[in-house]
Amino acid sequence: MAGIAPTPVLKDELDIVIPTIRNLDFLEMWRPFFQPYHLIIVQDGDPSKIIKVPEGFDYELYNRNDINRILGPKASCISFKDSACRCFGYMVSKKKYIYTIDDDCFVAKDPSGKDINALEQHIKNLLSPATPYFFNTLYDPYRDGTDFVRGYPFSLREGVSTAVSHGLWLNIPDYDAPTQLVKPRERNTRYVDAVMTIPKGTLFPMCGMNLAFNRELIGPAMYFGLMGDGQPIGRYDDMWAGWCTKVICDHLGLGIKTGLPYIWHSKASNPFVNLKKEYKGIYWQEEIIPFFQSASLPKECTTVQQCYIELSKQVKAKLANVDPYFTKLADAMVTWIEAWDELNPSGEAPVEKSNGKAK
């Protein structure tokens, strides 16, 4: 019937997870896109502070007291005073899909001046297959107006299930502290109309501020580690989750896409504060990256949980010599899986390795 708005895609199958320490006024600009969906707000910092949420949104809010109450001793695996706490929202969600966004991310505009519905594009990315085994030079062949190019094997055109959709940012780029200090005025103004699958065997720096994933396919791997209060490192939460997730996706035959959609990243964090959080990670990553590049999971690991527990064993065995922190992190990885399974007791199912139809 004319005048009736269409039902939003995946309205009852997707949660939006937002970590915050402040009032969520930024939701007003996202109202046209987010209001139909359920929000999970993870309040960091002082649990006695009241977080105000604009009227009309369907949400549940968890603070540190709630996390401690729900997880008990296992709450030790959830970071405090760091946006890594967002992964608690992934754990308590009961939906198939998750979209997570930071509270300093605003609605961006495409080159024509139209507001970008970031969530809609993430859903398109997740609902179409990925192509990790052979690179298509026209990028995502499942988007309208494109296809597989000449020379692309027909045996691979069915693709595989997409587990993760990694979005990008206009305005403030996601730089590390040294780059921020060298280029304090640099802004990303380039809108690249492309989505691509990250090839198998290739790691990438995952940013958690504009990210969507299939929780049923990869959720238990989306642990954002031990960061923030009481930890020697920060700002590597999403990186850690991304490296673990990529290794597991490669093993299980799942795909990760990057590119569209864009959000408008409104403010740069303090580079001096960032440097204090990052400096150990900047050194450590020169050993962490080769570790993940060489990580291999046995064929007996057929579920995400099994893969993640195996990866935790390898972290303890091979990274503990870098710093004792990694022994603590490996233990927290196991605790995370135990907590996940307690809150999500449906059991482990082997991942189906492909989906989609040849175009």
Side-chain angles (χ1 to χ4, degrees), residues 39-277:
L39 312 181
I40 297 178
I41 300 162
V42 184
Q43 178 181 344
D44 197 18
D46 182 2
S48 67
K49 181 179 178 180
I50 302 300
I51 299 292
K52 295 181 180 177
V53 181
E55 289 187 10
F57 286 93
D58 173 34
Y59 71 92
E60 52 193 300
L61 187 150
Y62 297 92
N63 60 32
R64 192 68 201 189
N65 292 340
D66 299 314
I67 295 172
N68 291 337
R69 172 178 52 82
I70 292 168
L71 296 184
K74 293 184 174 64
S76 61
C77 72
I78 304 298
S79 298
F80 184 55
K81 295 185 178 179
D82 192 281
S83 64
C85 67
R86 77 177 78 220
C87 62
F88 177 77
Y90 311 159
M91 182 185 286
V92 296
S93 170
K94 301 303 177 189
K95 304 291 178 61
K96 183 175 181 179
Y97 300 96
I98 295 288
Y99 174 53
T100 185
I101 185 172
D102 284 5
D103 58 17
D104 63 349
C105 294
F106 300 165
V107 178
K109 294 185 182 295
D110 68 18
S112 72
K114 181 182 177 183
D115 284 351
I116 297 169
N117 184 346
L119 183 53
E120 180 181 56
Q121 180 63 50
H122 275 299
I123 291 170
K124 289 180 180 178
N125 293 347
L126 290 170
L127 294 184
S128 61
T131 54
Y133 302 121
F134 202 90
F135 189 78
N136 191 53
T137 51
L138 276 181
Y139 310 119
D140 190 340
Y142 304 102
R143 292 185 70 198
D144 290 340
T146 187
D147 212 314
F148 294 97
V149 297
R150 181 170 55 89
Y152 200 101
F154 281 84
S155 59
L156 295 176
R157 295 190 183 194
E158 181 179 319
V160 304
S161 298
T162 300
V164 181
S165 172
H166 178 256
L168 299 174
W169 348 268
L170 293 172
N171 195 37
I172 306 294
D174 187 28
Y175 286 163
D176 53 41
T179 308
Q180 280 185 293
L181 289 166
V182 173
K183 297 181 172 182
R185 295 184 179 89
E186 186 153 294
R187 299 294 182 266
N188 182 33
T189 59
R190 294 193 311 145
Y191 179 96
V192 180
D193 187 7
V195 179
M196 64 188 75
T197 299
I198 300 171
K200 181 180 180 181
T202 300
L203 296 175
F204 75 111
M206 189 176 83
C207 173
M209 65 178 156
N210 176 26
L211 179 74
F213 60 92
N214 184 322
R215 184 176 172 276
E216 291 183 359
L217 284 181
I218 202 64
M222 279 289 180
Y223 175 47
F224 275 45
L226 289 176
M227 304 283 153
D229 193 48
Q231 308 302 335
I233 187 175
R235 284 173 58 81
Y236 274 86
D237 52 333
D238 42 9
M239 300 293 149
W240 184 262
W243 297 328
C244 294
T245 294
K246 187 59 167 66
V247 168
I248 292 173
C249 281
D250 285 354
H251 175 74
L252 294 177
L254 301 170
I256 297 178
K257 294 181 180 180
T258 187
L260 299 180
Y262 285 94
I263 50 82
W264 180 269
H265 189 203
S266 65
K267 66 180 182 181
S269 47
N270 186 310
F272 297 100
V273 173
N274 289 348
L275 186 60
K276 186 176 180 181
K277 294 178 180 179

